[in-house]
Amino acid sequence: MPHLAINGATPVRTIPFPTWPVYTEEDAQAVSDTILSGKWGNSKGDRVHTLEDQFAAFQQAKHGIAVTNGTTALNLALQSVGLTPGDEVIVPAYTFIATANTVLMSNAVPVFVDIDPDTYNINPDLVEQAITPRTRVIMPVHFAGLPADMERLKDIAQRHHLAIVEDAAQAHGAQWNGMGVGGIGDISGFSFQASKNLNAGEGGIILTDNDELAGIAGSLADCGRSDDGLWYGHYRLAGNHRMTEMQGALLLSQMTRLEEQCKRRHENGDYLTEQLSRIAGISPTIRPGQANRHARHLYVFRYKADAFGGTSKSKFVDALNAEGIPASPGYSLPLYKQPVFLEKNFGVYMQEALREIDFGALNLPETEKACADEAIWISQSVLLGEKEDMDDIVRAIAKIRERRQELARG
Ligand SMILES: *Cc1c(COP(=O)(O)O)cnc(C)c1O
């Protein structure tokens, strides 16, 4: 008789986990009020400007510039620090495509560096080794909401005169040594896309403590305008990347719940780690002491097939899903193995410095392992549940481990 739900037995859990987005009548009212105000753009209304101030304050940064999405936020953040064709930007290979695409779309060259398997964040030792005379920027990703090692990275950046552009798209509320991420490096980008821990379906924001960079980024987001220039004065080449007032209103309304949600995800994440670490073959990512708040956009753990009778990651994930626990195998490819890089399908962003690079020849072992065999994600909304909900996750994984022979046979 089977014991595992994937083979037809009763699942550990049959009721759903919290879903995303969370929304209320107040959210609807905030958007509706904005529509009825007739002020839909940020030149007339104050919602977007208020959001810029409030979100920057939430992350303890001085300036915020709201834009259309996270990709644009990163693109403009990179352009603000002043890149010229052929400049190199160091990025992790285990991340969303936008981290590297925005480097290319800023006319620079992405240099892929491996991750630390304990945190799945960029490995500072390997960052240092990847520096060349062309390196201009280090672009760490606070992957899954866990701050990258900003102490080490800032030290490296200072010694080599590099800028740090933080990809904080997954890190709303994350803190390193008590400081909100996004204002620790020179400039950063966050995403408000539908899956993110604060969202308006789409949207993004640039944060910085640097007055000059804030001025450039603000101009780049708004047709090259200048704060003290003419309305129809355009002082640099730039597009229009402004956020609407309806998005601003929805984000402000959701921000009233952000702190409480951040605390809950952080606490449930730490609790899960404590419990799951006891199961052989399951290694949750480690939160270093300095990362005093993990945003937990994803709950991430490493899976060791050896401890599960050799069962592949994808089959384990199927078994976990069958037990009623929503899990995902995460990014399936290192960025350098994405077709866009293998085929150098860079369109108008193709440049001389890219011709010599053979992205297909790269092989970063920890990123490869994370994609193919080890990394498993659970989405942030699951962590908005109660402790008993976390216990179901632990029970399901422990059950699969206990019945690993059945899984391997099936
Ligand atoms: C979501 C995300 C982005 C891009 O944000 P969008 O709003 O979807 O454009 C960039 N980097 C990382 C790591 C992300 O997760």
Side-chain angles (χ1 to χ4, degrees):
M1 217 181 74
H3 290 85
L4 294 173
I6 194 172
N7 295 330
T10 310
V12 165
R13 186 179 169 101
T14 49
I15 56 169
F17 282 94
T19 55
W20 193 251
V22 172
Y23 50 89
T24 62
E25 280 298 324
E26 283 77 21
D27 295 343
Q29 195 64 50
V31 176
S32 165
D33 287 350
T34 306
I35 291 172
L36 297 174
S37 76
K39 297 172 181 172
W40 297 355
N42 76 359
S43 61
K44 295 249 162 50
D46 63 359
R47 304 291 198 280
V48 169
H49 295 308
T50 307
L51 170 77
E52 290 172 336
D53 292 346
Q54 283 195 16
F55 190 75
F58 185 74
Q59 297 294 142
Q60 300 161 272
K62 195 168 167 194
H63 304 281
I65 298 114
V67 293
T68 49
N69 57 61
T71 304
T72 294
L74 293 172
N75 203 5
L76 303 189
L78 280 164
Q79 288 183 29
S80 299
V81 302
L83 292 166
T84 52
D87 283 349
E88 294 175 358
V89 177
I90 295 175
V91 296
Y94 189 74
T95 174
F96 183 61
I97 191 73
T99 313
N101 276 357
T102 52
V103 173
L104 288 165
M105 294 188 293
S106 305
N107 270 324
V109 175
V111 173
F112 292 108
V113 161
D114 210 355
I115 48 172
D116 176 341
D118 285 339
T119 60
Y120 281 163
N121 275 327
I122 199 164
N123 181 327
D125 292 326
L126 302 178
V127 167
E128 189 132 32
Q129 290 170 25
I131 292 171
T132 75
R134 307 290 332 241
T135 309
R136 290 289 319 285
V137 175
I138 306 171
M139 190 171 175
V141 177
H142 305 302
F143 175 69
L146 177 64
D149 189 336
M150 294 308 288
E151 227 152 67
R152 295 275 321 274
L153 294 173
K154 275 187 91 157
D155 172 63
I156 295 168
Q158 257 152 28
R159 281 190 284 108
H160 296 271
H161 310 288
L162 309 175
I164 295 183
V165 176
E166 298 172 65
D167 181 342
Q170 305 186 355
H172 318 71
Q175 290 176 7
W176 178 265
N177 276 334
M179 284 301 298
V181 301
I184 302 176
D186 295 275
I187 190 165
S188 66
F190 288 74
S191 166
F192 300 134
Q193 178 268 343
S195 73
K196 301 292 156 74
N197 294 16
L198 178 67
N199 91 90
E202 299 290 352
I205 196 166
I206 300 160
L207 298 187
T208 181
D209 277 354
N210 182 309
D211 299 342
E212 191 193 343
L213 292 182
I216 299 172
S219 177
L220 286 172
D222 188 18
C223 312
R225 288 194 166 91
S226 161
D227 278 343
D228 44 18
L230 299 167
W231 176 250
Y232 285 117
H234 305 280
Y235 302 88
R236 54 168 54 76
L237 180 64
N240 165 17
H241 307 283
R242 296 184 304 261
M243 176 182 274
T244 70
E245 286 288 292
M246 282 70 83
Q247 285 169 291
L250 181 55
L251 289 163
L252 277 173
S253 182
Q254 294 193 64
M255 270 197 78
T256 60
R257 300 185 293 270
L258 182 57
E259 176 65 19
E260 190 204 313
Q261 289 171 340
C262 282
K263 280 195 181 125
R264 185 173 277 253
R265 290 191 194 97
H266 176 91
E267 279 166 20
N268 277 332
D270 274 7
Y271 177 72
L272 262 182
T273 291
E274 194 188 301
Q275 302 296 315
L276 291 178
S277 299
R278 299 180 184 148
I279 303 176
I282 301 294
S283 305
T285 52
I286 294 166
R287 177 173 70 79
Q290 300 101 314
N292 61 292
R293 191 146 82 186
H294 194 321
R296 297 281 183 197
H297 174 59
L298 303 162
Y299 184 85
V300 182
F301 62 88
R302 272 189 295 158
Y303 168 77
K304 294 282 184 193
D306 288 352
F308 285 79
T311 296
S312 70
K313 165 169 99 162
S314 69
K315 190 166 174 198
F316 173 83
V317 168
D318 289 346
L320 198 51
N321 288 336
E323 298 295 342
I325 311 301
S328 137
Y331 303 128
S332 50
L333 293 173
L335 286 195
Y336 52 81
K337 286 204 171 151
Q338 288 285 353
V340 53
F341 283 100
L342 293 182
E343 293 156 24
K344 295 193 199 174
N345 209 353
F346 300 146
V348 297
Y349 298 104
M350 190 62 199
Q351 51 163 303
E352 208 42 51
L354 293 164
R355 291 189 201 281
E356 308 133 35
I357 305 173
D358 181 3
F359 289 103
L362 275 174
N363 188 331
L364 305 179
E366 296 303 338
T367 299
E368 298 275 343
K369 264 194 288 186
C371 292
D373 306 317
E374 297 191 350
I376 294 177
W377 304 355
I378 295 174
S379 116
Q380 51 95 3
S381 67
V382 169
L383 272 71
L384 293 176
E386 306 294 331
K387 210 154 248 179
E388 300 81 74
D389 298 312
M390 303 305 111
D391 289 334
D392 279 346
I393 299 172
V394 179
R395 274 217 301 279
I397 295 175
K399 174 183 164 185
I400 297 170
R401 155 86 187 148
E402 214 166 282
R403 303 287 174 184
R404 60 191 178 278
Q405 301 305 346
E406 180 186 326
L407 186 66
R409 273 197 314 272

